Amino acid sequence: MQEVFKQQQQSKEPSVEAESVVQLVGFIVGAEEFAVPILSIQEIIKPLEYTRVPGTPNYVLGVFNLRGNVIPLINLRLKFNLPAEKQSEDTRYIVIKHNDEVAGFVIDRLTEAVRIKESSIDPTPETISEDDNIIYGIGKKEDRLITILKTEGLLKRTF
């Protein structure tokens, strides 16, 4: 009886696992679409007043007060070596948190919440150096490519 039971167990096909899906929030900076993991986003807000901080790189606009917390504000256009543009009605601040690090990032506009299968994410191109790499991978969604950013890379202080 035990042998029959063992044979039945072995002949069963292993259950097919659902492919893991990454949930992201997409946004535009310049002409490119980027995304960050949805769980790393603390909140998305309309632009607030900020205070300049001397001695920081040009992409660090300064700090802003969010409900009693002072948060650094980084302009992703300048960080990605794109020309600065005046903020529009679509401009948003994405407040990202990873471990104890928090920062706000200026983006041109939000796109949508995106779900991409792990198999649809290609690794970072070899042309990008590993040292300052903030790119997790390139996601393929229908007919578009989305650059997926590493939150820990975005929040890493280089100044």
Side-chain angles (χ1 to χ4, degrees), residues 14-146:
S15 61
V16 178
E17 257 186 63
E19 187 175 359
S20 62
V21 173
V22 180
Q23 294 187 37
L24 308 159
V25 171
F27 56 89
I28 303 290
V29 176
E32 301 293 319
E33 186 170 9
F34 297 91
V36 291
I38 200 164
L39 295 176
S40 66
I41 295 178
Q42 185 172 313
E43 59 190 295
I44 300 169
I45 56 174
K46 289 188 174 185
L48 301 170
E49 289 285 320
Y50 62 89
T51 303
R52 287 272 322 139
V53 177
T56 58
N58 71 333
Y59 60 83
V60 179
L61 297 180
V63 295
F64 66 100
N65 184 339
L66 185 64
R67 289 185 289 287
N69 296 317
V70 176
I71 298 175
L73 182 62
I74 296 167
N75 186 329
L76 283 181
R77 279 182 150 276
L78 297 176
K79 186 160 177 72
F80 296 159
N81 295 319
L82 297 171
E85 268 190 15
K86 191 174 179 198
Q87 294 183 358
S88 71
E89 62 182 40
D90 290 332
T91 303
R92 294 289 180 270
Y93 294 176
I94 293 185
V95 180
I96 295 178
K97 183 173 185 164
H98 181 74
N99 297 334
D100 291 334
E101 294 285 323
V102 179
F105 296 89
V106 180
I107 59 164
D108 293 344
R109 75 181 161 86
L110 282 170
T111 54
E112 61 182 344
V114 183
R115 295 169 59 94
I116 299 179
K117 293 178 184 173
E118 281 280 357
S119 63
S120 296
I121 299 174
D122 288 343
T124 307
E126 290 179 18
T127 54
I128 299 172
S129 74
E130 281 297 315
D131 301 338
D132 54 349
N133 184 10
I134 61 170
I135 299 174
Y136 171 77
I138 309 295
K140 297 179 289 249
K141 182 82 173 160
E142 286 113 37
D143 60 342
R144 57 192 224 254
L145 296 177
I146 302 171

